[in-house]
Amino acid sequence: MDRASAQAGPHSLPSSDAADASRPPVLYEAHGLIRDIPLQPHEMTAAVTATDKLFMLAHLGVLRIAPEAWQLTVGGLVDRPLQLRLEDLARFLPAQIEAVHQCAGSPTAPTVATRRVACVVWGGVRLGDILREAGVQSGATHLWSDGADSGTFGGTHVPYFRKDLPLARVDADVLLATRLNGDPLPNRHGGPVRLVVPGFYGTNSVKWLWRLTLADRRADGLFTTLYYNDPLPDGTTRPVYGLEPESIIVDPAPNTPVPRRAEIRGWAWGDAPVVEVKVSGDAGRTWVGAALGPRNGRAWQEWRCPWAFATAGPTMLICRATDAAGRMQPMDGARNEVHRVIVEVSQER
Ligand SMILES: Nc1nc2c(c(=O)[nH]1)N[C@H]1C(S)=C(S)[C@@H](COP(=O)(O)O)O[C@H]1N2
Ligand SMILES: [Mo]
C-alpha cells in the first residue's frame, strides 16, 4: 500500500469533473444504458440466483478493468489517504454475505415496480476495516463512491458513476466485493472490485469501484441529486437507499392451470426483516397469513401458503409483506407495490 501523497486535504473534496490520474484504464465492452433481465418472478425458484441468471444493469456502459491495473483511492476526510491495489486487499479478513440484490427500477420511472431482483452470495473484505486504516475524521458523515464508467445519461455527461451512502451504515456489512457466488466477480457485475451495500437498492452498490471519498455531505453527482431521490408528501425527497418491504409469488406461475387446492409460494425481503406475508384471492378484501421462513444474513425469506380456491376460472392472487418496522407494501404506485398473479383455477375439486 502507498499513501497517496498528493491526496486532497479535508477541505478539497474532488469535484465531479476533476480529472484524476488514479482512475485505472478501462475498456468498454458496451456503451450507454445496458439492461439484461433474464428472470421473471415465477422463474426465481432458486434460493441463490445463479450468476448467469443474475440481472445486469449499467447506466453508462459495461467496463473491463484489468485486475493488475485496478486501484482504489481512499481520500477526503481521512487522516491517512490510501491507495490500494488488488493484492493489498488480501491483508484484510475475508467476509461473505448472502443478500438480496435488487434494482430500484429506472431512475426516470421510480414508481414502477420492475422486480429486477435476485439473491446472491458476495465475498470480499469489509469496508469498515479499510476505513479504520485510513482513519476517518470526525466531520465525515457520508461516503462517496465512484465507478470508473463515464458517459451520457438522460442528456447529461457524467464523468463517472458516483453514489453516496451514510457513513453510519458502513460498519453494518458493507463490502468491497471481489467474489460473486464463490467465483471471482465478473467484469459485467463490476469486477475486479465493486461496492456492495447489503440491504440497499442495487444502485448504491457501485461497480468498477476506483475511488472512495469521505465527505461531510451528500455527493454532487447526477445519480445522487437529480435521480434516485423519492419525493415525500411534505415536498422533500428521500434518497433511494434501503430496500422497502417486498414479496413475490414464484409459484404458481402466471396464466397456468392450478388445482382447487394448491400451495402458493414465494420470497419476501426488505432492509428490515420481513415479519409477515399475507395472501389475498379477492383483490385485497380478505387476507390469509403465510408461513414465513427465517432470514439468513440478508437473504430473501421463503413464504408458503396452502390455498383452497373457492371458484374455478381466472383468479388473481396478491401477496403483501410487512417489515419489522411495521411498513407494508402499498397496493399501487410504488416500486414495491404488491405483486399480482392471475392463475387459471381448474374445474375439478
Ligand atoms: N459503476 C456503476 N455501478 C453501478 C451502476 C452503474 O451504472 N455504474 N448501476 C447500478 C444499478 S442501478 C444497479 S441495479 C446495480 C446492478 O448490478 P448488477 O449489474 O451487478 O446486477 O449496479 C449499480 N452499480
Ligand atoms: Mo438499478
Side-chain angles (χ1 to χ4, degrees), residues 249 252-260 262 264 279-286 307-319 339-347:
I249 297 169
N255 308 314
T256 50
V258 289
R260 284 292 180 98
I264 304 164
V279 179
S280 176
D282 58 7
R285 276 184 292 280
T286 61
W307 200 261
F309 291 95
T311 53
T315 302
M316 184 169 67
L317 295 168
I318 312 176
C319 63
H339 187 210
R340 296 173 169 87
V341 167
I342 295 172
V343 295
E344 185 64 34
V345 181
S346 65
Q347 292 292 341

PDB file of all heavy atoms in Angstrom, residues 249 252-260 262 264 279-286 307-319 339-347:
ATOM      1  N   ILE A 249     -44.712 -13.684  -5.706  1.00  0.00           N
ATOM      2  CA  ILE A 249     -45.249 -15.035  -5.868  1.00  0.00           C
ATOM      3  C   ILE A 249     -44.399 -15.725  -6.928  1.00  0.00           C
ATOM      4  O   ILE A 249     -44.309 -15.249  -8.068  1.00  0.00           O
ATOM      5  CB  ILE A 249     -46.726 -14.985  -6.319  1.00  0.00           C
ATOM      6  CG1 ILE A 249     -47.585 -14.318  -5.235  1.00  0.00           C
ATOM      7  CG2 ILE A 249     -47.236 -16.395  -6.640  1.00  0.00           C
ATOM      8  CD1 ILE A 249     -48.995 -13.982  -5.690  1.00  0.00           C
ATOM      9  N   PRO A 252     -47.870 -20.380  -7.829  1.00  0.00           N
ATOM     10  CA  PRO A 252     -47.959 -20.714  -9.253  1.00  0.00           C
ATOM     11  C   PRO A 252     -47.509 -19.573 -10.167  1.00  0.00           C
ATOM     12  O   PRO A 252     -47.536 -18.409  -9.784  1.00  0.00           O
ATOM     13  CB  PRO A 252     -49.456 -20.994  -9.444  1.00  0.00           C
ATOM     14  CG  PRO A 252     -50.149 -20.270  -8.346  1.00  0.00           C
ATOM     15  CD  PRO A 252     -49.206 -20.216  -7.202  1.00  0.00           C
ATOM     16  N   ALA A 253     -47.134 -19.987 -11.393  1.00  0.00           N
ATOM     17  CA  ALA A 253     -46.737 -19.024 -12.417  1.00  0.00           C
ATOM     18  C   ALA A 253     -47.975 -18.383 -13.020  1.00  0.00           C
ATOM     19  O   ALA A 253     -49.059 -18.967 -12.979  1.00  0.00           O
ATOM     20  CB  ALA A 253     -45.919 -19.740 -13.495  1.00  0.00           C
ATOM     21  N   PRO A 254     -47.842 -17.187 -13.576  1.00  0.00           N
ATOM     22  CA  PRO A 254     -48.997 -16.520 -14.180  1.00  0.00           C
ATOM     23  C   PRO A 254     -49.593 -17.336 -15.325  1.00  0.00           C
ATOM     24  O   PRO A 254     -48.858 -17.998 -16.074  1.00  0.00           O
ATOM     25  CB  PRO A 254     -48.423 -15.213 -14.731  1.00  0.00           C
ATOM     26  CG  PRO A 254     -47.059 -15.071 -14.186  1.00  0.00           C
ATOM     27  CD  PRO A 254     -46.614 -16.395 -13.692  1.00  0.00           C
ATOM     28  N   ASN A 255     -50.917 -17.284 -15.451  1.00  0.00           N
ATOM     29  CA  ASN A 255     -51.634 -17.890 -16.581  1.00  0.00           C
ATOM     30  C   ASN A 255     -51.428 -19.391 -16.707  1.00  0.00           C
ATOM     31  O   ASN A 255     -51.470 -19.936 -17.804  1.00  0.00           O
ATOM     32  CB  ASN A 255     -51.256 -17.197 -17.899  1.00  0.00           C
ATOM     33  CG  ASN A 255     -51.427 -15.691 -17.792  1.00  0.00           C
ATOM     34  OD1 ASN A 255     -52.444 -15.214 -17.289  1.00  0.00           O
ATOM     35  ND2 ASN A 255     -50.427 -14.942 -18.200  1.00  0.00           N
ATOM     36  N   THR A 256     -51.202 -20.048 -15.572  1.00  0.00           N
ATOM     37  CA  THR A 256     -51.063 -21.509 -15.614  1.00  0.00           C
ATOM     38  C   THR A 256     -52.266 -22.132 -14.926  1.00  0.00           C
ATOM     39  O   THR A 256     -52.864 -21.531 -14.032  1.00  0.00           O
ATOM     40  CB  THR A 256     -49.796 -21.979 -14.879  1.00  0.00           C
ATOM     41  OG1 THR A 256     -49.765 -21.380 -13.592  1.00  0.00           O
ATOM     42  CG2 THR A 256     -48.541 -21.620 -15.653  1.00  0.00           C
ATOM     43  N   PRO A 257     -52.652 -23.371 -15.337  1.00  0.00           N
ATOM     44  CA  PRO A 257     -53.733 -24.058 -14.645  1.00  0.00           C
ATOM     45  C   PRO A 257     -53.283 -24.480 -13.247  1.00  0.00           C
ATOM     46  O   PRO A 257     -52.150 -24.953 -13.084  1.00  0.00           O
ATOM     47  CB  PRO A 257     -54.009 -25.282 -15.526  1.00  0.00           C
ATOM     48  CG  PRO A 257     -52.907 -25.373 -16.503  1.00  0.00           C
ATOM     49  CD  PRO A 257     -52.076 -24.146 -16.439  1.00  0.00           C
ATOM     50  N   VAL A 258     -54.156 -24.277 -12.245  1.00  0.00           N
ATOM     51  CA  VAL A 258     -53.842 -24.739 -10.883  1.00  0.00           C
ATOM     52  C   VAL A 258     -55.033 -25.518 -10.343  1.00  0.00           C
ATOM     53  O   VAL A 258     -56.187 -25.199 -10.653  1.00  0.00           O
ATOM     54  CB  VAL A 258     -53.505 -23.582  -9.902  1.00  0.00           C
ATOM     55  CG1 VAL A 258     -52.164 -22.963 -10.219  1.00  0.00           C
ATOM     56  CG2 VAL A 258     -54.584 -22.540  -9.877  1.00  0.00           C
ATOM     57  N   PRO A 259     -54.772 -26.556  -9.521  1.00  0.00           N
ATOM     58  CA  PRO A 259     -55.878 -27.299  -8.915  1.00  0.00           C
ATOM     59  C   PRO A 259     -56.568 -26.463  -7.835  1.00  0.00           C
ATOM     60  O   PRO A 259     -56.036 -25.454  -7.389  1.00  0.00           O
ATOM     61  CB  PRO A 259     -55.191 -28.529  -8.311  1.00  0.00           C
ATOM     62  CG  PRO A 259     -53.766 -28.141  -8.129  1.00  0.00           C
ATOM     63  CD  PRO A 259     -53.459 -27.099  -9.161  1.00  0.00           C
ATOM     64  N   ARG A 260     -57.762 -26.947  -7.406  1.00  0.00           N
ATOM     65  CA  ARG A 260     -58.518 -26.214  -6.386  1.00  0.00           C
ATOM     66  C   ARG A 260     -57.732 -26.042  -5.081  1.00  0.00           C
ATOM     67  O   ARG A 260     -57.858 -25.046  -4.404  1.00  0.00           O
ATOM     68  CB  ARG A 260     -59.827 -26.944  -6.081  1.00  0.00           C
ATOM     69  CG  ARG A 260     -60.897 -26.772  -7.127  1.00  0.00           C
ATOM     70  CD  ARG A 260     -61.394 -25.328  -7.161  1.00  0.00           C
ATOM     71  NE  ARG A 260     -62.425 -25.164  -8.170  1.00  0.00           N
ATOM     72  CZ  ARG A 260     -63.731 -25.181  -7.905  1.00  0.00           C
ATOM     73  NH1 ARG A 260     -64.155 -25.327  -6.670  1.00  0.00           N
ATOM     74  NH2 ARG A 260     -64.604 -25.050  -8.863  1.00  0.00           N
ATOM     75  N   ALA A 262     -54.006 -25.846  -3.608  1.00  0.00           N
ATOM     76  CA  ALA A 262     -52.632 -25.618  -4.083  1.00  0.00           C
ATOM     77  C   ALA A 262     -51.822 -24.970  -2.971  1.00  0.00           C
ATOM     78  O   ALA A 262     -52.376 -24.572  -1.935  1.00  0.00           O
ATOM     79  CB  ALA A 262     -52.649 -24.709  -5.306  1.00  0.00           C
ATOM     80  N   ILE A 264     -49.257 -21.822  -2.409  1.00  0.00           N
ATOM     81  CA  ILE A 264     -48.692 -20.609  -3.002  1.00  0.00           C
ATOM     82  C   ILE A 264     -47.366 -20.355  -2.292  1.00  0.00           C
ATOM     83  O   ILE A 264     -47.260 -20.513  -1.074  1.00  0.00           O
ATOM     84  CB  ILE A 264     -49.668 -19.425  -2.832  1.00  0.00           C
ATOM     85  CG1 ILE A 264     -51.013 -19.816  -3.438  1.00  0.00           C
ATOM     86  CG2 ILE A 264     -49.122 -18.182  -3.506  1.00  0.00           C
ATOM     87  CD1 ILE A 264     -52.130 -18.913  -2.999  1.00  0.00           C
ATOM     88  N   VAL A 279     -51.664 -13.254   1.900  1.00  0.00           N
ATOM     89  CA  VAL A 279     -52.090 -13.527   0.531  1.00  0.00           C
ATOM     90  C   VAL A 279     -53.587 -13.240   0.434  1.00  0.00           C
ATOM     91  O   VAL A 279     -54.350 -13.537   1.361  1.00  0.00           O
ATOM     92  CB  VAL A 279     -51.811 -15.003   0.157  1.00  0.00           C
ATOM     93  CG1 VAL A 279     -52.274 -15.311  -1.265  1.00  0.00           C
ATOM     94  CG2 VAL A 279     -50.321 -15.322   0.312  1.00  0.00           C
ATOM     95  N   SER A 280     -53.981 -12.651  -0.692  1.00  0.00           N
ATOM     96  CA  SER A 280     -55.404 -12.401  -0.941  1.00  0.00           C
ATOM     97  C   SER A 280     -55.797 -12.983  -2.290  1.00  0.00           C
ATOM     98  O   SER A 280     -55.048 -12.900  -3.264  1.00  0.00           O
ATOM     99  CB  SER A 280     -55.696 -10.892  -0.928  1.00  0.00           C
ATOM    100  OG  SER A 280     -57.057 -10.663  -1.267  1.00  0.00           O
ATOM    101  N   GLY A 281     -56.981 -13.576  -2.336  1.00  0.00           N
ATOM    102  CA  GLY A 281     -57.527 -14.082  -3.596  1.00  0.00           C
ATOM    103  C   GLY A 281     -58.764 -13.308  -4.012  1.00  0.00           C
ATOM    104  O   GLY A 281     -59.455 -13.688  -4.960  1.00  0.00           O
ATOM    105  N   ASP A 282     -59.057 -12.211  -3.284  1.00  0.00           N
ATOM    106  CA  ASP A 282     -60.266 -11.434  -3.600  1.00  0.00           C
ATOM    107  C   ASP A 282     -59.953  -9.932  -3.668  1.00  0.00           C
ATOM    108  O   ASP A 282     -60.658  -9.114  -3.095  1.00  0.00           O
ATOM    109  CB  ASP A 282     -61.368 -11.725  -2.567  1.00  0.00           C
ATOM    110  CG  ASP A 282     -60.931 -11.421  -1.135  1.00  0.00           C
ATOM    111  OD1 ASP A 282     -59.817 -10.868  -0.948  1.00  0.00           O
ATOM    112  OD2 ASP A 282     -61.689 -11.731  -0.202  1.00  0.00           O
ATOM    113  N   ALA A 283     -58.862  -9.652  -4.393  1.00  0.00           N
ATOM    114  CA  ALA A 283     -58.487  -8.255  -4.683  1.00  0.00           C
ATOM    115  C   ALA A 283     -58.190  -7.443  -3.425  1.00  0.00           C
ATOM    116  O   ALA A 283     -58.302  -6.220  -3.432  1.00  0.00           O
ATOM    117  CB  ALA A 283     -59.564  -7.567  -5.522  1.00  0.00           C
ATOM    118  N   GLY A 284     -57.806  -8.139  -2.344  1.00  0.00           N
ATOM    119  CA  GLY A 284     -57.373  -7.424  -1.150  1.00  0.00           C
ATOM    120  C   GLY A 284     -58.464  -7.203  -0.117  1.00  0.00           C
ATOM    121  O   GLY A 284     -58.237  -6.516   0.876  1.00  0.00           O
ATOM    122  N   ARG A 285     -59.650  -7.783  -0.325  1.00  0.00           N
ATOM    123  CA  ARG A 285     -60.704  -7.631   0.694  1.00  0.00           C
ATOM    124  C   ARG A 285     -60.371  -8.465   1.928  1.00  0.00           C
ATOM    125  O   ARG A 285     -60.483  -7.983   3.055  1.00  0.00           O
ATOM    126  CB  ARG A 285     -62.069  -8.033   0.129  1.00  0.00           C
ATOM    127  CG  ARG A 285     -62.739  -6.893  -0.648  1.00  0.00           C
ATOM    128  CD  ARG A 285     -64.139  -7.276  -1.112  1.00  0.00           C
ATOM    129  NE  ARG A 285     -64.120  -8.306  -2.137  1.00  0.00           N
ATOM    130  CZ  ARG A 285     -63.861  -8.063  -3.428  1.00  0.00           C
ATOM    131  NH1 ARG A 285     -63.621  -6.831  -3.837  1.00  0.00           N
ATOM    132  NH2 ARG A 285     -63.838  -9.038  -4.296  1.00  0.00           N
ATOM    133  N   THR A 286     -59.918  -9.700   1.719  1.00  0.00           N
ATOM    134  CA  THR A 286     -59.520 -10.536   2.859  1.00  0.00           C
ATOM    135  C   THR A 286     -58.110 -11.068   2.616  1.00  0.00           C
ATOM    136  O   THR A 286     -57.687 -11.243   1.471  1.00  0.00           O
ATOM    137  CB  THR A 286     -60.491 -11.722   3.044  1.00  0.00           C
ATOM    138  OG1 THR A 286     -60.474 -12.529   1.864  1.00  0.00           O
ATOM    139  CG2 THR A 286     -61.914 -11.249   3.331  1.00  0.00           C
ATOM    140  N   TRP A 307     -53.625 -23.120  -0.067  1.00  0.00           N
ATOM    141  CA  TRP A 307     -54.728 -22.310  -0.587  1.00  0.00           C
ATOM    142  C   TRP A 307     -55.842 -23.202  -1.113  1.00  0.00           C
ATOM    143  O   TRP A 307     -55.568 -24.189  -1.796  1.00  0.00           O
ATOM    144  CB  TRP A 307     -54.217 -21.414  -1.723  1.00  0.00           C
ATOM    145  CG  TRP A 307     -55.118 -20.249  -1.990  1.00  0.00           C
ATOM    146  CD1 TRP A 307     -56.055 -20.148  -2.970  1.00  0.00           C
ATOM    147  CD2 TRP A 307     -55.171 -19.034  -1.254  1.00  0.00           C
ATOM    148  NE1 TRP A 307     -56.701 -18.933  -2.890  1.00  0.00           N
ATOM    149  CE2 TRP A 307     -56.171 -18.232  -1.838  1.00  0.00           C
ATOM    150  CE3 TRP A 307     -54.489 -18.541  -0.131  1.00  0.00           C
ATOM    151  CZ2 TRP A 307     -56.499 -16.966  -1.359  1.00  0.00           C
ATOM    152  CZ3 TRP A 307     -54.810 -17.286   0.340  1.00  0.00           C
ATOM    153  CH2 TRP A 307     -55.804 -16.511  -0.270  1.00  0.00           C
ATOM    154  N   ALA A 308     -57.069 -22.871  -0.788  1.00  0.00           N
ATOM    155  CA  ALA A 308     -58.236 -23.566  -1.350  1.00  0.00           C
ATOM    156  C   ALA A 308     -59.026 -22.537  -2.145  1.00  0.00           C
ATOM    157  O   ALA A 308     -59.613 -21.615  -1.572  1.00  0.00           O
ATOM    158  CB  ALA A 308     -59.091 -24.150  -0.231  1.00  0.00           C
ATOM    159  N   PHE A 309     -59.010 -22.665  -3.471  1.00  0.00           N
ATOM    160  CA  PHE A 309     -59.742 -21.712  -4.320  1.00  0.00           C
ATOM    161  C   PHE A 309     -61.231 -22.009  -4.248  1.00  0.00           C
ATOM    162  O   PHE A 309     -61.661 -23.154  -4.374  1.00  0.00           O
ATOM    163  CB  PHE A 309     -59.262 -21.817  -5.771  1.00  0.00           C
ATOM    164  CG  PHE A 309     -57.856 -21.317  -5.976  1.00  0.00           C
ATOM    165  CD1 PHE A 309     -56.782 -22.206  -5.955  1.00  0.00           C
ATOM    166  CD2 PHE A 309     -57.603 -19.970  -6.176  1.00  0.00           C
ATOM    167  CE1 PHE A 309     -55.491 -21.748  -6.153  1.00  0.00           C
ATOM    168  CE2 PHE A 309     -56.308 -19.511  -6.377  1.00  0.00           C
ATOM    169  CZ  PHE A 309     -55.249 -20.405  -6.361  1.00  0.00           C
ATOM    170  N   ALA A 310     -62.054 -20.972  -4.050  1.00  0.00           N
ATOM    171  CA  ALA A 310     -63.496 -21.152  -3.902  1.00  0.00           C
ATOM    172  C   ALA A 310     -64.163 -21.432  -5.245  1.00  0.00           C
ATOM    173  O   ALA A 310     -65.128 -22.195  -5.316  1.00  0.00           O
ATOM    174  CB  ALA A 310     -64.107 -19.895  -3.266  1.00  0.00           C
ATOM    175  N   THR A 311     -63.662 -20.824  -6.295  1.00  0.00           N
ATOM    176  CA  THR A 311     -64.318 -20.964  -7.603  1.00  0.00           C
ATOM    177  C   THR A 311     -63.283 -21.273  -8.679  1.00  0.00           C
ATOM    178  O   THR A 311     -62.101 -20.951  -8.531  1.00  0.00           O
ATOM    179  CB  THR A 311     -65.043 -19.660  -8.002  1.00  0.00           C
ATOM    180  OG1 THR A 311     -64.096 -18.589  -7.901  1.00  0.00           O
ATOM    181  CG2 THR A 311     -66.235 -19.380  -7.106  1.00  0.00           C
ATOM    182  N   ALA A 312     -63.783 -21.900  -9.764  1.00  0.00           N
ATOM    183  CA  ALA A 312     -62.921 -22.172 -10.919  1.00  0.00           C
ATOM    184  C   ALA A 312     -62.829 -20.917 -11.791  1.00  0.00           C
ATOM    185  O   ALA A 312     -63.597 -19.975 -11.616  1.00  0.00           O
ATOM    186  CB  ALA A 312     -63.490 -23.341 -11.712  1.00  0.00           C
ATOM    187  N   GLY A 313     -61.857 -20.963 -12.715  1.00  0.00           N
ATOM    188  CA  GLY A 313     -61.706 -19.840 -13.635  1.00  0.00           C
ATOM    189  C   GLY A 313     -60.537 -18.946 -13.269  1.00  0.00           C
ATOM    190  O   GLY A 313     -59.783 -19.248 -12.339  1.00  0.00           O
ATOM    191  N   PRO A 314     -60.376 -17.850 -13.987  1.00  0.00           N
ATOM    192  CA  PRO A 314     -59.234 -16.962 -13.718  1.00  0.00           C
ATOM    193  C   PRO A 314     -59.358 -16.307 -12.346  1.00  0.00           C
ATOM    194  O   PRO A 314     -60.437 -15.809 -11.987  1.00  0.00           O
ATOM    195  CB  PRO A 314     -59.312 -15.909 -14.832  1.00  0.00           C
ATOM    196  CG  PRO A 314     -60.558 -16.162 -15.584  1.00  0.00           C
ATOM    197  CD  PRO A 314     -61.248 -17.380 -15.056  1.00  0.00           C
ATOM    198  N   THR A 315     -58.288 -16.375 -11.578  1.00  0.00           N
ATOM    199  CA  THR A 315     -58.279 -15.818 -10.216  1.00  0.00           C
ATOM    200  C   THR A 315     -56.989 -15.037 -10.009  1.00  0.00           C
ATOM    201  O   THR A 315     -55.914 -15.508 -10.382  1.00  0.00           O
ATOM    202  CB  THR A 315     -58.366 -16.941  -9.169  1.00  0.00           C
ATOM    203  OG1 THR A 315     -59.562 -17.687  -9.399  1.00  0.00           O
ATOM    204  CG2 THR A 315     -58.368 -16.397  -7.749  1.00  0.00           C
ATOM    205  N   MET A 316     -57.119 -13.875  -9.402  1.00  0.00           N
ATOM    206  CA  MET A 316     -55.934 -13.076  -9.111  1.00  0.00           C
ATOM    207  C   MET A 316     -55.467 -13.323  -7.680  1.00  0.00           C
ATOM    208  O   MET A 316     -56.263 -13.237  -6.748  1.00  0.00           O
ATOM    209  CB  MET A 316     -56.220 -11.590  -9.296  1.00  0.00           C
ATOM    210  CG  MET A 316     -54.973 -10.741  -9.095  1.00  0.00           C
ATOM    211  SD  MET A 316     -55.217  -9.029  -9.618  1.00  0.00           S
ATOM    212  CE  MET A 316     -56.409  -8.488  -8.424  1.00  0.00           C
ATOM    213  N   LEU A 317     -54.187 -13.629  -7.548  1.00  0.00           N
ATOM    214  CA  LEU A 317     -53.557 -13.759  -6.228  1.00  0.00           C
ATOM    215  C   LEU A 317     -52.682 -12.530  -5.985  1.00  0.00           C
ATOM    216  O   LEU A 317     -52.017 -12.041  -6.908  1.00  0.00           O
ATOM    217  CB  LEU A 317     -52.699 -15.021  -6.171  1.00  0.00           C
ATOM    218  CG  LEU A 317     -53.448 -16.351  -6.298  1.00  0.00           C
ATOM    219  CD1 LEU A 317     -52.462 -17.494  -6.522  1.00  0.00           C
ATOM    220  CD2 LEU A 317     -54.286 -16.605  -5.039  1.00  0.00           C
ATOM    221  N   ILE A 318     -52.694 -12.066  -4.752  1.00  0.00           N
ATOM    222  CA  ILE A 318     -51.860 -10.913  -4.367  1.00  0.00           C
ATOM    223  C   ILE A 318     -51.093 -11.297  -3.104  1.00  0.00           C
ATOM    224  O   ILE A 318     -51.671 -11.927  -2.208  1.00  0.00           O
ATOM    225  CB  ILE A 318     -52.716  -9.665  -4.031  1.00  0.00           C
ATOM    226  CG1 ILE A 318     -53.779  -9.405  -5.103  1.00  0.00           C
ATOM    227  CG2 ILE A 318     -51.858  -8.443  -3.821  1.00  0.00           C
ATOM    228  CD1 ILE A 318     -54.717  -8.247  -4.760  1.00  0.00           C
ATOM    229  N   CYS A 319     -49.829 -10.931  -3.023  1.00  0.00           N
ATOM    230  CA  CYS A 319     -49.118 -11.122  -1.754  1.00  0.00           C
ATOM    231  C   CYS A 319     -48.607  -9.778  -1.258  1.00  0.00           C
ATOM    232  O   CYS A 319     -48.334  -8.875  -2.053  1.00  0.00           O
ATOM    233  CB  CYS A 319     -47.980 -12.125  -1.900  1.00  0.00           C
ATOM    234  SG  CYS A 319     -46.680 -11.622  -3.027  1.00  0.00           S
ATOM    235  N   HIS A 339     -47.397  -7.653  -5.511  1.00  0.00           N
ATOM    236  CA  HIS A 339     -47.270  -8.479  -6.709  1.00  0.00           C
ATOM    237  C   HIS A 339     -48.594  -9.203  -6.940  1.00  0.00           C
ATOM    238  O   HIS A 339     -49.142  -9.811  -6.032  1.00  0.00           O
ATOM    239  CB  HIS A 339     -46.138  -9.502  -6.502  1.00  0.00           C
ATOM    240  CG  HIS A 339     -45.807 -10.294  -7.721  1.00  0.00           C
ATOM    241  ND1 HIS A 339     -45.326 -11.574  -7.650  1.00  0.00           N
ATOM    242  CD2 HIS A 339     -45.877  -9.991  -9.042  1.00  0.00           C
ATOM    243  CE1 HIS A 339     -45.106 -12.022  -8.886  1.00  0.00           C
ATOM    244  NE2 HIS A 339     -45.425 -11.083  -9.733  1.00  0.00           N
ATOM    245  N   ARG A 340     -49.083  -9.126  -8.158  1.00  0.00           N
ATOM    246  CA  ARG A 340     -50.350  -9.778  -8.525  1.00  0.00           C
ATOM    247  C   ARG A 340     -50.065 -10.824  -9.587  1.00  0.00           C
ATOM    248  O   ARG A 340     -49.335 -10.547 -10.544  1.00  0.00           O
ATOM    249  CB  ARG A 340     -51.339  -8.756  -9.092  1.00  0.00           C
ATOM    250  CG  ARG A 340     -51.781  -7.689  -8.091  1.00  0.00           C
ATOM    251  CD  ARG A 340     -52.640  -6.632  -8.821  1.00  0.00           C
ATOM    252  NE  ARG A 340     -53.307  -5.738  -7.887  1.00  0.00           N
ATOM    253  CZ  ARG A 340     -52.763  -4.629  -7.388  1.00  0.00           C
ATOM    254  NH1 ARG A 340     -51.538  -4.280  -7.712  1.00  0.00           N
ATOM    255  NH2 ARG A 340     -53.451  -3.874  -6.552  1.00  0.00           N
ATOM    256  N   VAL A 341     -50.673 -11.986  -9.426  1.00  0.00           N
ATOM    257  CA  VAL A 341     -50.531 -13.063 -10.413  1.00  0.00           C
ATOM    258  C   VAL A 341     -51.926 -13.622 -10.706  1.00  0.00           C
ATOM    259  O   VAL A 341     -52.670 -13.943  -9.774  1.00  0.00           O
ATOM    260  CB  VAL A 341     -49.603 -14.179  -9.871  1.00  0.00           C
ATOM    261  CG1 VAL A 341     -49.695 -15.430 -10.722  1.00  0.00           C
ATOM    262  CG2 VAL A 341     -48.157 -13.694  -9.816  1.00  0.00           C
ATOM    263  N   ILE A 342     -52.263 -13.723 -11.986  1.00  0.00           N
ATOM    264  CA  ILE A 342     -53.555 -14.317 -12.362  1.00  0.00           C
ATOM    265  C   ILE A 342     -53.321 -15.756 -12.802  1.00  0.00           C
ATOM    266  O   ILE A 342     -52.478 -16.021 -13.670  1.00  0.00           O
ATOM    267  CB  ILE A 342     -54.230 -13.489 -13.476  1.00  0.00           C
ATOM    268  CG1 ILE A 342     -54.568 -12.101 -12.923  1.00  0.00           C
ATOM    269  CG2 ILE A 342     -55.497 -14.196 -13.985  1.00  0.00           C
ATOM    270  CD1 ILE A 342     -55.063 -11.112 -13.949  1.00  0.00           C
ATOM    271  N   VAL A 343     -54.046 -16.670 -12.156  1.00  0.00           N
ATOM    272  CA  VAL A 343     -53.921 -18.098 -12.481  1.00  0.00           C
ATOM    273  C   VAL A 343     -55.275 -18.613 -12.964  1.00  0.00           C
ATOM    274  O   VAL A 343     -56.311 -17.974 -12.770  1.00  0.00           O
ATOM    275  CB  VAL A 343     -53.438 -18.921 -11.252  1.00  0.00           C
ATOM    276  CG1 VAL A 343     -52.030 -18.499 -10.858  1.00  0.00           C
ATOM    277  CG2 VAL A 343     -54.398 -18.795 -10.082  1.00  0.00           C
ATOM    278  N   GLU A 344     -55.254 -19.803 -13.587  1.00  0.00           N
ATOM    279  CA  GLU A 344     -56.473 -20.407 -14.116  1.00  0.00           C
ATOM    280  C   GLU A 344     -56.835 -21.595 -13.217  1.00  0.00           C
ATOM    281  O   GLU A 344     -56.171 -22.629 -13.267  1.00  0.00           O
ATOM    282  CB  GLU A 344     -56.202 -20.849 -15.570  1.00  0.00           C
ATOM    283  CG  GLU A 344     -57.395 -21.392 -16.317  1.00  0.00           C
ATOM    284  CD  GLU A 344     -58.510 -20.354 -16.527  1.00  0.00           C
ATOM    285  OE1 GLU A 344     -58.204 -19.154 -16.697  1.00  0.00           O
ATOM    286  OE2 GLU A 344     -59.682 -20.772 -16.497  1.00  0.00           O
ATOM    287  N   VAL A 345     -57.849 -21.419 -12.358  1.00  0.00           N
ATOM    288  CA  VAL A 345     -58.222 -22.478 -11.410  1.00  0.00           C
ATOM    289  C   VAL A 345     -59.077 -23.511 -12.141  1.00  0.00           C
ATOM    290  O   VAL A 345     -60.038 -23.147 -12.822  1.00  0.00           O
ATOM    291  CB  VAL A 345     -58.976 -21.891 -10.193  1.00  0.00           C
ATOM    292  CG1 VAL A 345     -59.340 -22.996  -9.214  1.00  0.00           C
ATOM    293  CG2 VAL A 345     -58.134 -20.812  -9.524  1.00  0.00           C
ATOM    294  N   SER A 346     -58.709 -24.798 -11.987  1.00  0.00           N
ATOM    295  CA  SER A 346     -59.388 -25.859 -12.755  1.00  0.00           C
ATOM    296  C   SER A 346     -60.749 -26.188 -12.137  1.00  0.00           C
ATOM    297  O   SER A 346     -61.040 -25.842 -10.995  1.00  0.00           O
ATOM    298  CB  SER A 346     -58.500 -27.107 -12.804  1.00  0.00           C
ATOM    299  OG  SER A 346     -58.355 -27.625 -11.512  1.00  0.00           O
ATOM    300  N   GLN A 347     -61.595 -26.881 -12.938  1.00  0.00           N
ATOM    301  CA  GLN A 347     -62.952 -27.227 -12.509  1.00  0.00           C
ATOM    302  C   GLN A 347     -62.969 -28.285 -11.405  1.00  0.00           C
ATOM    303  O   GLN A 347     -63.741 -28.164 -10.455  1.00  0.00           O
ATOM    304  CB  GLN A 347     -63.770 -27.737 -13.711  1.00  0.00           C
ATOM    305  CG  GLN A 347     -64.082 -26.694 -14.766  1.00  0.00           C
ATOM    306  CD  GLN A 347     -65.063 -25.617 -14.271  1.00  0.00           C
ATOM    307  OE1 GLN A 347     -65.760 -25.829 -13.288  1.00  0.00           O
ATOM    308  NE2 GLN A 347     -65.102 -24.485 -14.948  1.00  0.00           N
TER     309      GLN A 347
END
